[in-house]
Amino acid sequence: MAGLRLDDDHTVAAGADLPGPVTAGLEAFVASAQQLRDLRTGVVDRSADWDKAYEQYTRTIDAAFRVTGTLTGIQEARLGSDARVLLEFARAGEMLSREDALLTSAQLGRTFDVRRLRLFGGTIETRMNLTASAASDLPGPQREAWRAFTKGSAYNTVLTAEQEVAAAAPGRKAPSPSRWTPGSRPTPVCAVPYARSARRPTGTRPVAPTRWPTAC
């Protein structure tokens, strides 16, 4: 975070010619991210409340995506469209990571309560909406690659696992779908070969990250 701050009260956005929402968004992200240091200690020593930790981490990540979303909105039209597609796939990857976190918590606690099961179902819906929106804006070859991928076993294995978990009654023993494996978690949103071939003029810098989040 030190690289994003000019001093205790300002981020690097304050010294750049950027719209107000970008400056405010970056300040909100940095402030939220700095709170993770103490929280991370509590997570490691298991003194932190799981729900509070989950909420703080997701709030911080959402703040980062809002900054990126604002930046994509001020790009030149075609470049901005490419950046938005990459952003939506990245957000979908984050949703899959949240599904994994929720399911892991249920397995550790040996139960999936009503609140977390609802969160799990809502996260699935968000991920599917994001990938559907992003896929509709992919250029021809990448769109066909995505369609082919969604018909494959890896993608449908994860979908089946999601449905298996979401259909379980809350409060019972946490579901442990055999299909939900470390190798299958990231596949649905990270395999589409778009990030490396986003359409941009030769010699220009990428308009959005070309490296997926850690979960991918």
Side-chain angles (χ1 to χ4, degrees), residues 14-35:
D17 185 19
L18 293 170
V22 176
T23 301
L26 186 58
E27 290 175 352
F29 164 68
V30 170
S32 183
Q34 288 180 324
Q35 296 176 22

Side-chain angles (χ1 to χ4, degrees), residues 81-147:
S81 177
D82 287 338
R84 185 187 62 77
V85 170
L86 289 168
L87 176 61
E88 288 183 341
F89 272 122
R91 289 182 61 204
E94 167 60 18
M95 293 302 108
L96 195 62
S97 293
R98 293 183 188 184
E99 291 177 42
D100 187 49
L102 288 162
L103 182 57
T104 300
S105 76
Q107 291 171 339
L108 290 173
R110 300 185 182 280
T111 184
F112 221 164
D113 62 32
V114 173
R115 178 179 176 275
R116 292 186 190 176
L117 189 58
R118 286 177 178 170
L119 281 173
F120 187 86
T123 302
I124 293 173
E125 183 176 0
T126 299
R127 181 186 63 75
M128 294 183 71
N129 289 337
L130 286 166
T131 53
S133 175
S136 67
D137 287 334
L138 287 171
Q142 286 79 16
R143 188 181 306 171
E144 289 305 313
W146 174 257
R147 286 176 179 171

